[in-house]
Amino acid sequence: MIKKYTCIICPNGCEIKATIEGTDTITSIEGATCKKGEEYVKQELINPQRNIASSVLVKDGILPLASVRLTKSIPKKYIFNVMNEIKKVRLEAPVKINQVAIKNVLNLSSDVIVTKNVGRKN
Amino acid sequence: MNTIKKDVVIIGGGPAGLAAAVQLKNKGISNIVILEREKQLGGILRQCIHDGFGLTRFKEALSGPEYAQRFIDKVEILNIEYITNATVIDITSEKLVTAISGCGLLKYEAKSIILAMGCRERTRGAISIPGTRPSGIYNAGVAQAYINLHNTMVGKEVIILGSGDIGMIMARRMTLEGAKVKAVFEVQPYPSGLPRNIQQCLNDYDIPLYLSHTITNIKGNSRLEGITVSKVDENMKPIPGTEKDYTCDTLILSVGLIPENELSLAANVELDNRTKGAIVDENYQTSVDGIFAAGNVLHVHDLVDFVSLEAENLSNSVANYISLGKLPKCNIDVLTDANIGHTIPQKISGEKDVKLSMRVKKPFKDCEIDIMQNNKVIKISKFKKAIPAKMLEVKIDKIQIKSLDNIKVVIK
């Protein structure tokens, strides 16, 4: 079976055509301009992974929100479960970039980390 | 009132202004100031909380605020002066800068000005969508600011017009926050954003993208109630009989960005009608001696990495300008054929290697971009694909430039 992919690893967004045998064997691949393209297709076949970004509420901060992201991509199917966990978080200012908001979220081996410094309101 | 003397005044503390300031300081130019109208440095990156910034420069997929902070940290460590809450209200060709700020009116007399004001969004008025004027219609960047900076959700049932990157990123963002994004409509026959965003922001969340479609009516009195969409023909004119109605309480417009050049005009900086940014030479100097421009105020970029790089190159020129008092003349015009939107720079000297940034006006596959001089090809660059969403770069070596005749960039 021939499947088409748009690689999301970098902004080049290579359009990849892959011939798949069975459920996850790539027999031929074209269109990828680097090695990461094949790894991406393999992962899309077995278990698509994504990173997500959102925000968490900050108490007494100069801003109401601190942005967050994951340290490592998670299986796509858990995106909304992780969003629910992120929504529960309340941090107290000051918060710093790289501060862990949730350690090992839902046991997915990825941390939710803060991506913006938010100082404390005077 | 005292006029403060500066070597360089940088207008805007976003990615271009920050990178320019750091590079100037590294080049030994210390008497500089960044004027930023917001409360914090960082520019638009503050609200771009999604990841994918810095892949080229830092080999990491950072969020916008993290990318900005790397530069803000350098500004702090290098002790570069910056003033936030300071809105520049006027600049002149004599390099006088007037700003209003928390500490009152500020007046600077600068040897050089760096324009780094970024861009703004095209609005509903600019694209003339018929219908009523209810609430619930936002530009994508405005919705992004509401959600990511002010903790205010903009709506529940969303339609997006325009397939620009910010619109697609907001489609995903609003979906994650519980909104139902029904569809994205694009008037052109091809998407205007990057392919990876179509995949990770739309396809991943089953949000359909309809090309060659536009909105032909907006309904609702106090709040938006729905829209009518029509297919368009090859001249982008709506085709009667193809109308389809959608209910929605929110319409997001992602229909293009325009460099913010009101100040530049005040100083008689000549603009390029294609980019809406300044006409610059290979030193990023505008038509006004000592005024330079880089980043989205010059031409709209798709990647911040290129903005930082451009601003650093600009600062190298500004450092030379400060020490020499002037820069060599650039008399070779860079012209383009109908399928190339524009190039930056628009003028070169022929005295040094130069990198041309450009955008194609429609998608091409397996194409080549030829640089011509006197009807002879002096450089050929091949590309597997070229799309309007992605800026291309072509390098010309000094040795390839044969004369002082104009250069033409052609795609085939």
Side-chain angles (χ1 to χ4, degrees), chain A residues 8 10 12-13 15 50 53-54 57 62 65 67 69 76 83 115-116, chain B residues 40 46 49 63 65-66 69 147 149 151 173 176-177 196 204-205 385 390:
Chain A
I8 63 167
C10 89
N12 284 335
E15 277 151 41
R50 296 290 184 271
S54 187
L57 286 167
I62 54 167
L65 298 169
S67 50
R69 67 173 168 92
K76 202 162 124 180
M83 274 303 292
T115 61
K116 186 185 278 184
Chain B
Q40 278 129 5
R46 294 172 308 120
I49 65 169
S63 67
E66 288 170 284
Q69 195 62 44
I147 297 172
L149 297 179
N151 194 27
R173 184 79 190 101
L176 290 177
E177 290 297 343
R196 71 197 291 244
D204 272 6
Y205 298 93
K385 67 171 181 178
K390 206 161 174 285

PDB file of all heavy atoms in Angstrom, chain A residues 8 10 12-13 15 50 53-54 57 62 65 67 69 76 83 115-116, chain B residues 40 46 49 63 65-66 69 147 149 151 173 176-177 196 204-205 385 390:
ATOM      1  N   ILE A   8       6.694  16.389   9.755  1.00  0.00           N
ATOM      2  CA  ILE A   8       6.520  17.589  10.603  1.00  0.00           C
ATOM      3  C   ILE A   8       7.764  17.897  11.440  1.00  0.00           C
ATOM      4  O   ILE A   8       7.746  18.773  12.285  1.00  0.00           O
ATOM      5  CB  ILE A   8       5.299  17.448  11.551  1.00  0.00           C
ATOM      6  CG1 ILE A   8       5.495  16.287  12.525  1.00  0.00           C
ATOM      7  CG2 ILE A   8       4.017  17.295  10.762  1.00  0.00           C
ATOM      8  CD1 ILE A   8       4.491  16.298  13.681  1.00  0.00           C
ATOM      9  N   CYS A  10      10.708  19.212  10.656  1.00  0.00           N
ATOM     10  CA  CYS A  10      11.274  20.554  10.471  1.00  0.00           C
ATOM     11  C   CYS A  10      10.428  21.342   9.482  1.00  0.00           C
ATOM     12  O   CYS A  10       9.540  20.792   8.843  1.00  0.00           O
ATOM     13  CB  CYS A  10      12.745  20.478  10.050  1.00  0.00           C
ATOM     14  SG  CYS A  10      12.998  20.393   8.269  1.00  0.00           S
ATOM     15  N   ASN A  12      10.862  22.306   6.565  1.00  0.00           N
ATOM     16  CA  ASN A  12      10.866  21.896   5.159  1.00  0.00           C
ATOM     17  C   ASN A  12       9.587  21.158   4.789  1.00  0.00           C
ATOM     18  O   ASN A  12       9.119  21.237   3.664  1.00  0.00           O
ATOM     19  CB  ASN A  12      12.065  20.992   4.865  1.00  0.00           C
ATOM     20  CG  ASN A  12      13.337  21.806   4.771  1.00  0.00           C
ATOM     21  OD1 ASN A  12      13.298  22.992   4.463  1.00  0.00           O
ATOM     22  ND2 ASN A  12      14.466  21.173   5.063  1.00  0.00           N
ATOM     23  N   GLY A  13       9.029  20.387   5.744  1.00  0.00           N
ATOM     24  CA  GLY A  13       7.771  19.688   5.505  1.00  0.00           C
ATOM     25  C   GLY A  13       7.804  18.790   4.281  1.00  0.00           C
ATOM     26  O   GLY A  13       6.947  18.896   3.404  1.00  0.00           O
ATOM     27  N   GLU A  15       7.306  16.155   1.529  1.00  0.00           N
ATOM     28  CA  GLU A  15       6.177  15.293   1.170  1.00  0.00           C
ATOM     29  C   GLU A  15       6.731  13.927   0.820  1.00  0.00           C
ATOM     30  O   GLU A  15       7.474  13.763  -0.137  1.00  0.00           O
ATOM     31  CB  GLU A  15       5.399  15.906   0.015  1.00  0.00           C
ATOM     32  CG  GLU A  15       4.418  16.953   0.517  1.00  0.00           C
ATOM     33  CD  GLU A  15       4.145  18.043  -0.491  1.00  0.00           C
ATOM     34  OE1 GLU A  15       4.001  17.719  -1.680  1.00  0.00           O
ATOM     35  OE2 GLU A  15       4.098  19.215  -0.079  1.00  0.00           O
ATOM     36  N   ARG A  50       3.430  13.439  19.318  1.00  0.00           N
ATOM     37  CA  ARG A  50       3.333  14.886  19.144  1.00  0.00           C
ATOM     38  C   ARG A  50       3.759  15.593  20.427  1.00  0.00           C
ATOM     39  O   ARG A  50       3.582  15.040  21.520  1.00  0.00           O
ATOM     40  CB  ARG A  50       1.883  15.311  18.848  1.00  0.00           C
ATOM     41  CG  ARG A  50       1.302  14.795  17.555  1.00  0.00           C
ATOM     42  CD  ARG A  50       1.933  15.443  16.335  1.00  0.00           C
ATOM     43  NE  ARG A  50       1.287  15.004  15.106  1.00  0.00           N
ATOM     44  CZ  ARG A  50       1.657  13.930  14.393  1.00  0.00           C
ATOM     45  NH1 ARG A  50       2.687  13.187  14.786  1.00  0.00           N
ATOM     46  NH2 ARG A  50       1.021  13.617  13.289  1.00  0.00           N
ATOM     47  N   ALA A  53       1.703  22.357  23.397  1.00  0.00           N
ATOM     48  CA  ALA A  53       2.000  23.538  24.201  1.00  0.00           C
ATOM     49  C   ALA A  53       0.687  24.083  24.722  1.00  0.00           C
ATOM     50  O   ALA A  53      -0.338  24.001  24.051  1.00  0.00           O
ATOM     51  CB  ALA A  53       2.714  24.588  23.368  1.00  0.00           C
ATOM     52  N   SER A  54       0.707  24.597  25.935  1.00  0.00           N
ATOM     53  CA  SER A  54      -0.472  25.232  26.496  1.00  0.00           C
ATOM     54  C   SER A  54       0.004  26.219  27.559  1.00  0.00           C
ATOM     55  O   SER A  54       1.166  26.633  27.537  1.00  0.00           O
ATOM     56  CB  SER A  54      -1.420  24.182  27.084  1.00  0.00           C
ATOM     57  OG  SER A  54      -2.634  24.796  27.468  1.00  0.00           O
ATOM     58  N   LEU A  57      -2.194  28.403  34.956  1.00  0.00           N
ATOM     59  CA  LEU A  57      -2.483  29.606  35.742  1.00  0.00           C
ATOM     60  C   LEU A  57      -1.355  29.859  36.737  1.00  0.00           C
ATOM     61  O   LEU A  57      -0.801  28.924  37.313  1.00  0.00           O
ATOM     62  CB  LEU A  57      -3.797  29.423  36.498  1.00  0.00           C
ATOM     63  CG  LEU A  57      -5.059  29.505  35.626  1.00  0.00           C
ATOM     64  CD1 LEU A  57      -6.262  29.002  36.399  1.00  0.00           C
ATOM     65  CD2 LEU A  57      -5.274  30.930  35.140  1.00  0.00           C
ATOM     66  N   ILE A  62       3.028  38.613  37.491  1.00  0.00           N
ATOM     67  CA  ILE A  62       2.810  39.837  36.715  1.00  0.00           C
ATOM     68  C   ILE A  62       2.018  39.531  35.447  1.00  0.00           C
ATOM     69  O   ILE A  62       1.498  40.416  34.798  1.00  0.00           O
ATOM     70  CB  ILE A  62       4.127  40.569  36.369  1.00  0.00           C
ATOM     71  CG1 ILE A  62       5.098  39.614  35.657  1.00  0.00           C
ATOM     72  CG2 ILE A  62       4.784  41.159  37.604  1.00  0.00           C
ATOM     73  CD1 ILE A  62       6.270  40.334  35.026  1.00  0.00           C
ATOM     74  N   LEU A  65      -0.771  33.939  33.190  1.00  0.00           N
ATOM     75  CA  LEU A  65      -0.448  32.610  32.668  1.00  0.00           C
ATOM     76  C   LEU A  65       1.049  32.435  32.462  1.00  0.00           C
ATOM     77  O   LEU A  65       1.746  33.399  32.141  1.00  0.00           O
ATOM     78  CB  LEU A  65      -1.107  32.413  31.291  1.00  0.00           C
ATOM     79  CG  LEU A  65      -2.624  32.445  31.175  1.00  0.00           C
ATOM     80  CD1 LEU A  65      -3.016  32.492  29.700  1.00  0.00           C
ATOM     81  CD2 LEU A  65      -3.230  31.221  31.852  1.00  0.00           C
ATOM     82  N   SER A  67       3.358  29.934  29.964  1.00  0.00           N
ATOM     83  CA  SER A  67       3.257  28.924  28.914  1.00  0.00           C
ATOM     84  C   SER A  67       4.032  27.673  29.310  1.00  0.00           C
ATOM     85  O   SER A  67       4.994  27.739  30.078  1.00  0.00           O
ATOM     86  CB  SER A  67       3.765  29.495  27.592  1.00  0.00           C
ATOM     87  OG  SER A  67       5.031  30.091  27.762  1.00  0.00           O
ATOM     88  N   ARG A  69       5.271  23.460  27.827  1.00  0.00           N
ATOM     89  CA  ARG A  69       5.337  22.462  26.763  1.00  0.00           C
ATOM     90  C   ARG A  69       5.844  21.159  27.353  1.00  0.00           C
ATOM     91  O   ARG A  69       6.161  21.106  28.552  1.00  0.00           O
ATOM     92  CB  ARG A  69       6.234  22.923  25.612  1.00  0.00           C
ATOM     93  CG  ARG A  69       7.705  23.029  25.977  1.00  0.00           C
ATOM     94  CD  ARG A  69       8.547  23.317  24.741  1.00  0.00           C
ATOM     95  NE  ARG A  69       9.904  23.704  25.091  1.00  0.00           N
ATOM     96  CZ  ARG A  69      10.934  22.847  25.197  1.00  0.00           C
ATOM     97  NH1 ARG A  69      10.764  21.548  24.989  1.00  0.00           N
ATOM     98  NH2 ARG A  69      12.138  23.287  25.521  1.00  0.00           N
ATOM     99  N   LYS A  76       0.073  10.514  20.289  1.00  0.00           N
ATOM    100  CA  LYS A  76      -0.984  11.431  19.868  1.00  0.00           C
ATOM    101  C   LYS A  76      -2.302  11.169  20.591  1.00  0.00           C
ATOM    102  O   LYS A  76      -3.033  12.105  20.930  1.00  0.00           O
ATOM    103  CB  LYS A  76      -1.158  11.226  18.355  1.00  0.00           C
ATOM    104  CG  LYS A  76      -1.775  12.331  17.608  1.00  0.00           C
ATOM    105  CD  LYS A  76      -1.447  12.149  16.117  1.00  0.00           C
ATOM    106  CE  LYS A  76      -2.686  12.095  15.272  1.00  0.00           C
ATOM    107  NZ  LYS A  76      -2.373  11.930  13.833  1.00  0.00           N
ATOM    108  N   MET A  83      -3.782  17.358  28.235  1.00  0.00           N
ATOM    109  CA  MET A  83      -4.369  18.704  28.362  1.00  0.00           C
ATOM    110  C   MET A  83      -5.168  18.817  29.662  1.00  0.00           C
ATOM    111  O   MET A  83      -5.104  19.828  30.357  1.00  0.00           O
ATOM    112  CB  MET A  83      -5.278  19.013  27.162  1.00  0.00           C
ATOM    113  CG  MET A  83      -4.574  19.590  25.952  1.00  0.00           C
ATOM    114  SD  MET A  83      -3.651  21.112  26.250  1.00  0.00           S
ATOM    115  CE  MET A  83      -4.985  22.280  26.584  1.00  0.00           C
ATOM    116  N   THR A 115       7.720  27.516  30.051  1.00  0.00           N
ATOM    117  CA  THR A 115       8.538  28.083  28.972  1.00  0.00           C
ATOM    118  C   THR A 115       8.586  29.610  29.006  1.00  0.00           C
ATOM    119  O   THR A 115       8.999  30.246  28.050  1.00  0.00           O
ATOM    120  CB  THR A 115       8.017  27.617  27.592  1.00  0.00           C
ATOM    121  OG1 THR A 115       6.665  28.062  27.422  1.00  0.00           O
ATOM    122  CG2 THR A 115       8.073  26.113  27.442  1.00  0.00           C
ATOM    123  N   LYS A 116       8.138  30.188  30.127  1.00  0.00           N
ATOM    124  CA  LYS A 116       8.176  31.654  30.215  1.00  0.00           C
ATOM    125  C   LYS A 116       8.458  32.068  31.661  1.00  0.00           C
ATOM    126  O   LYS A 116       7.856  31.502  32.583  1.00  0.00           O
ATOM    127  CB  LYS A 116       6.831  32.221  29.771  1.00  0.00           C
ATOM    128  CG  LYS A 116       6.785  33.741  29.678  1.00  0.00           C
ATOM    129  CD  LYS A 116       5.390  34.255  29.352  1.00  0.00           C
ATOM    130  CE  LYS A 116       5.100  34.191  27.876  1.00  0.00           C
ATOM    131  NZ  LYS A 116       3.788  34.763  27.520  1.00  0.00           N
TER     132      LYS A 116
ATOM    133  N   GLN B  40       7.049  44.165  28.187  1.00  0.00           N
ATOM    134  CA  GLN B  40       8.197  43.268  28.218  1.00  0.00           C
ATOM    135  C   GLN B  40       8.847  43.153  26.849  1.00  0.00           C
ATOM    136  O   GLN B  40       8.198  43.362  25.827  1.00  0.00           O
ATOM    137  CB  GLN B  40       7.760  41.866  28.649  1.00  0.00           C
ATOM    138  CG  GLN B  40       7.639  41.712  30.140  1.00  0.00           C
ATOM    139  CD  GLN B  40       6.312  41.129  30.556  1.00  0.00           C
ATOM    140  OE1 GLN B  40       5.504  40.756  29.713  1.00  0.00           O
ATOM    141  NE2 GLN B  40       6.095  41.040  31.838  1.00  0.00           N
ATOM    142  N   ARG B  46       6.293  36.323  22.529  1.00  0.00           N
ATOM    143  CA  ARG B  46       5.704  36.147  23.855  1.00  0.00           C
ATOM    144  C   ARG B  46       4.393  35.366  23.792  1.00  0.00           C
ATOM    145  O   ARG B  46       4.023  34.661  24.715  1.00  0.00           O
ATOM    146  CB  ARG B  46       5.441  37.503  24.524  1.00  0.00           C
ATOM    147  CG  ARG B  46       6.699  38.293  24.842  1.00  0.00           C
ATOM    148  CD  ARG B  46       6.385  39.701  25.316  1.00  0.00           C
ATOM    149  NE  ARG B  46       5.500  40.356  24.388  1.00  0.00           N
ATOM    150  CZ  ARG B  46       4.281  40.820  24.693  1.00  0.00           C
ATOM    151  NH1 ARG B  46       3.843  40.750  25.928  1.00  0.00           N
ATOM    152  NH2 ARG B  46       3.530  41.358  23.771  1.00  0.00           N
ATOM    153  N   ILE B  49       3.319  30.394  21.874  1.00  0.00           N
ATOM    154  CA  ILE B  49       3.770  29.434  22.888  1.00  0.00           C
ATOM    155  C   ILE B  49       3.996  28.028  22.319  1.00  0.00           C
ATOM    156  O   ILE B  49       4.515  27.157  23.003  1.00  0.00           O
ATOM    157  CB  ILE B  49       2.772  29.366  24.069  1.00  0.00           C
ATOM    158  CG1 ILE B  49       1.427  28.802  23.599  1.00  0.00           C
ATOM    159  CG2 ILE B  49       2.599  30.742  24.719  1.00  0.00           C
ATOM    160  CD1 ILE B  49       0.489  28.463  24.742  1.00  0.00           C
ATOM    161  N   SER B  63       9.806  26.810  22.376  1.00  0.00           N
ATOM    162  CA  SER B  63       8.613  27.640  22.223  1.00  0.00           C
ATOM    163  C   SER B  63       9.075  29.076  21.962  1.00  0.00           C
ATOM    164  O   SER B  63      10.242  29.412  22.193  1.00  0.00           O
ATOM    165  CB  SER B  63       7.774  27.592  23.498  1.00  0.00           C
ATOM    166  OG  SER B  63       8.482  28.217  24.546  1.00  0.00           O
ATOM    167  N   PRO B  65       8.424  31.957  23.613  1.00  0.00           N
ATOM    168  CA  PRO B  65       8.976  32.663  24.781  1.00  0.00           C
ATOM    169  C   PRO B  65      10.377  32.200  25.161  1.00  0.00           C
ATOM    170  O   PRO B  65      11.216  33.013  25.570  1.00  0.00           O
ATOM    171  CB  PRO B  65       7.979  32.335  25.901  1.00  0.00           C
ATOM    172  CG  PRO B  65       6.707  32.015  25.199  1.00  0.00           C
ATOM    173  CD  PRO B  65       7.099  31.386  23.893  1.00  0.00           C
ATOM    174  N   GLU B  66      10.653  30.909  24.991  1.00  0.00           N
ATOM    175  CA  GLU B  66      12.003  30.412  25.308  1.00  0.00           C
ATOM    176  C   GLU B  66      13.032  30.965  24.334  1.00  0.00           C
ATOM    177  O   GLU B  66      14.146  31.341  24.722  1.00  0.00           O
ATOM    178  CB  GLU B  66      12.035  28.878  25.237  1.00  0.00           C
ATOM    179  CG  GLU B  66      11.321  28.187  26.361  1.00  0.00           C
ATOM    180  CD  GLU B  66      11.197  26.701  26.073  1.00  0.00           C
ATOM    181  OE1 GLU B  66      10.339  26.316  25.249  1.00  0.00           O
ATOM    182  OE2 GLU B  66      11.950  25.915  26.659  1.00  0.00           O
ATOM    183  N   GLN B  69      13.716  34.474  25.228  1.00  0.00           N
ATOM    184  CA  GLN B  69      14.458  34.603  26.482  1.00  0.00           C
ATOM    185  C   GLN B  69      15.952  34.394  26.285  1.00  0.00           C
ATOM    186  O   GLN B  69      16.769  35.017  26.959  1.00  0.00           O
ATOM    187  CB  GLN B  69      13.904  33.629  27.527  1.00  0.00           C
ATOM    188  CG  GLN B  69      14.351  33.941  28.951  1.00  0.00           C
ATOM    189  CD  GLN B  69      13.878  35.317  29.421  1.00  0.00           C
ATOM    190  OE1 GLN B  69      12.730  35.690  29.194  1.00  0.00           O
ATOM    191  NE2 GLN B  69      14.757  36.080  30.060  1.00  0.00           N
ATOM    192  N   ILE B 147      -5.921  34.377  24.226  1.00  0.00           N
ATOM    193  CA  ILE B 147      -5.839  33.048  24.841  1.00  0.00           C
ATOM    194  C   ILE B 147      -4.512  32.850  25.582  1.00  0.00           C
ATOM    195  O   ILE B 147      -4.491  32.397  26.720  1.00  0.00           O
ATOM    196  CB  ILE B 147      -6.033  31.946  23.768  1.00  0.00           C
ATOM    197  CG1 ILE B 147      -7.434  32.071  23.158  1.00  0.00           C
ATOM    198  CG2 ILE B 147      -5.817  30.550  24.366  1.00  0.00           C
ATOM    199  CD1 ILE B 147      -7.677  31.164  21.958  1.00  0.00           C
ATOM    200  N   LEU B 149      -1.989  35.120  26.362  1.00  0.00           N
ATOM    201  CA  LEU B 149      -1.450  36.145  27.269  1.00  0.00           C
ATOM    202  C   LEU B 149      -2.465  36.568  28.325  1.00  0.00           C
ATOM    203  O   LEU B 149      -2.109  36.860  29.457  1.00  0.00           O
ATOM    204  CB  LEU B 149      -1.005  37.389  26.492  1.00  0.00           C
ATOM    205  CG  LEU B 149       0.125  37.228  25.473  1.00  0.00           C
ATOM    206  CD1 LEU B 149       0.408  38.562  24.788  1.00  0.00           C
ATOM    207  CD2 LEU B 149       1.399  36.699  26.137  1.00  0.00           C
ATOM    208  N   ASN B 151      -5.501  34.946  29.126  1.00  0.00           N
ATOM    209  CA  ASN B 151      -6.343  33.903  29.729  1.00  0.00           C
ATOM    210  C   ASN B 151      -7.829  34.108  29.412  1.00  0.00           C
ATOM    211  O   ASN B 151      -8.689  33.947  30.268  1.00  0.00           O
ATOM    212  CB  ASN B 151      -6.117  33.854  31.250  1.00  0.00           C
ATOM    213  CG  ASN B 151      -6.696  32.584  31.860  1.00  0.00           C
ATOM    214  OD1 ASN B 151      -6.793  31.572  31.177  1.00  0.00           O
ATOM    215  ND2 ASN B 151      -7.095  32.643  33.117  1.00  0.00           N
ATOM    216  N   ARG B 173      -4.708  25.284  18.718  1.00  0.00           N
ATOM    217  CA  ARG B 173      -4.726  25.823  20.084  1.00  0.00           C
ATOM    218  C   ARG B 173      -6.157  25.853  20.635  1.00  0.00           C
ATOM    219  O   ARG B 173      -6.414  25.484  21.779  1.00  0.00           O
ATOM    220  CB  ARG B 173      -4.125  27.232  20.059  1.00  0.00           C
ATOM    221  CG  ARG B 173      -3.995  27.884  21.416  1.00  0.00           C
ATOM    222  CD  ARG B 173      -2.784  27.378  22.164  1.00  0.00           C
ATOM    223  NE  ARG B 173      -2.814  27.838  23.536  1.00  0.00           N
ATOM    224  CZ  ARG B 173      -3.193  27.082  24.566  1.00  0.00           C
ATOM    225  NH1 ARG B 173      -3.543  25.813  24.390  1.00  0.00           N
ATOM    226  NH2 ARG B 173      -3.203  27.569  25.781  1.00  0.00           N
ATOM    227  N   LEU B 176      -7.461  22.379  21.372  1.00  0.00           N
ATOM    228  CA  LEU B 176      -6.927  21.886  22.647  1.00  0.00           C
ATOM    229  C   LEU B 176      -7.666  22.516  23.833  1.00  0.00           C
ATOM    230  O   LEU B 176      -7.810  21.900  24.879  1.00  0.00           O
ATOM    231  CB  LEU B 176      -5.424  22.195  22.764  1.00  0.00           C
ATOM    232  CG  LEU B 176      -4.485  21.414  21.848  1.00  0.00           C
ATOM    233  CD1 LEU B 176      -3.050  21.894  22.027  1.00  0.00           C
ATOM    234  CD2 LEU B 176      -4.569  19.909  22.124  1.00  0.00           C
ATOM    235  N   GLU B 177      -8.136  23.735  23.662  1.00  0.00           N
ATOM    236  CA  GLU B 177      -8.851  24.424  24.747  1.00  0.00           C
ATOM    237  C   GLU B 177     -10.351  24.147  24.717  1.00  0.00           C
ATOM    238  O   GLU B 177     -11.125  24.826  25.394  1.00  0.00           O
ATOM    239  CB  GLU B 177      -8.579  25.932  24.699  1.00  0.00           C
ATOM    240  CG  GLU B 177      -7.147  26.323  25.081  1.00  0.00           C
ATOM    241  CD  GLU B 177      -6.775  25.962  26.519  1.00  0.00           C
ATOM    242  OE1 GLU B 177      -7.666  25.705  27.339  1.00  0.00           O
ATOM    243  OE2 GLU B 177      -5.565  25.909  26.811  1.00  0.00           O
ATOM    244  N   ARG B 196       3.845  21.451   7.161  1.00  0.00           N
ATOM    245  CA  ARG B 196       3.873  20.759   8.454  1.00  0.00           C
ATOM    246  C   ARG B 196       2.734  21.248   9.352  1.00  0.00           C
ATOM    247  O   ARG B 196       2.226  20.497  10.177  1.00  0.00           O
ATOM    248  CB  ARG B 196       5.220  20.931   9.161  1.00  0.00           C
ATOM    249  CG  ARG B 196       5.463  22.320   9.681  1.00  0.00           C
ATOM    250  CD  ARG B 196       6.911  22.581   9.997  1.00  0.00           C
ATOM    251  NE  ARG B 196       7.410  21.839  11.145  1.00  0.00           N
ATOM    252  CZ  ARG B 196       7.840  22.397  12.285  1.00  0.00           C
ATOM    253  NH1 ARG B 196       7.755  23.694  12.460  1.00  0.00           N
ATOM    254  NH2 ARG B 196       8.330  21.656  13.238  1.00  0.00           N
ATOM    255  N   ASP B 204      -4.231  16.481  12.062  1.00  0.00           N
ATOM    256  CA  ASP B 204      -4.176  15.754  13.345  1.00  0.00           C
ATOM    257  C   ASP B 204      -5.487  15.870  14.118  1.00  0.00           C
ATOM    258  O   ASP B 204      -5.807  15.006  14.926  1.00  0.00           O
ATOM    259  CB  ASP B 204      -3.056  16.322  14.227  1.00  0.00           C
ATOM    260  CG  ASP B 204      -1.720  15.643  13.971  1.00  0.00           C
ATOM    261  OD1 ASP B 204      -1.651  14.824  13.038  1.00  0.00           O
ATOM    262  OD2 ASP B 204      -0.757  15.950  14.700  1.00  0.00           O
ATOM    263  N   TYR B 205      -6.215  16.957  13.901  1.00  0.00           N
ATOM    264  CA  TYR B 205      -7.446  17.179  14.669  1.00  0.00           C
ATOM    265  C   TYR B 205      -8.685  17.110  13.770  1.00  0.00           C
ATOM    266  O   TYR B 205      -9.750  17.614  14.127  1.00  0.00           O
ATOM    267  CB  TYR B 205      -7.361  18.538  15.399  1.00  0.00           C
ATOM    268  CG  TYR B 205      -6.204  18.554  16.379  1.00  0.00           C
ATOM    269  CD1 TYR B 205      -4.965  19.042  16.000  1.00  0.00           C
ATOM    270  CD2 TYR B 205      -6.331  18.013  17.656  1.00  0.00           C
ATOM    271  CE1 TYR B 205      -3.883  19.014  16.868  1.00  0.00           C
ATOM    272  CE2 TYR B 205      -5.273  17.992  18.540  1.00  0.00           C
ATOM    273  CZ  TYR B 205      -4.039  18.492  18.145  1.00  0.00           C
ATOM    274  OH  TYR B 205      -2.968  18.453  19.011  1.00  0.00           O
ATOM    275  N   LYS B 385      11.237  21.729  -4.422  1.00  0.00           N
ATOM    276  CA  LYS B 385       9.957  22.423  -4.469  1.00  0.00           C
ATOM    277  C   LYS B 385      10.119  23.846  -3.949  1.00  0.00           C
ATOM    278  O   LYS B 385      11.017  24.130  -3.161  1.00  0.00           O
ATOM    279  CB  LYS B 385       8.881  21.669  -3.677  1.00  0.00           C
ATOM    280  CG  LYS B 385       9.114  21.629  -2.195  1.00  0.00           C
ATOM    281  CD  LYS B 385       7.896  21.064  -1.468  1.00  0.00           C
ATOM    282  CE  LYS B 385       8.144  21.064   0.029  1.00  0.00           C
ATOM    283  NZ  LYS B 385       7.047  20.584   0.826  1.00  0.00           N
ATOM    284  N   LYS B 390       7.119  29.500   1.935  1.00  0.00           N
ATOM    285  CA  LYS B 390       8.483  29.350   2.422  1.00  0.00           C
ATOM    286  C   LYS B 390       9.444  30.282   1.701  1.00  0.00           C
ATOM    287  O   LYS B 390       9.510  30.298   0.493  1.00  0.00           O
ATOM    288  CB  LYS B 390       8.921  27.891   2.225  1.00  0.00           C
ATOM    289  CG  LYS B 390       9.972  27.447   3.182  1.00  0.00           C
ATOM    290  CD  LYS B 390      10.048  25.930   3.263  1.00  0.00           C
ATOM    291  CE  LYS B 390      11.214  25.531   4.110  1.00  0.00           C
ATOM    292  NZ  LYS B 390      12.521  25.691   3.444  1.00  0.00           N
TER     293      LYS B 390
END
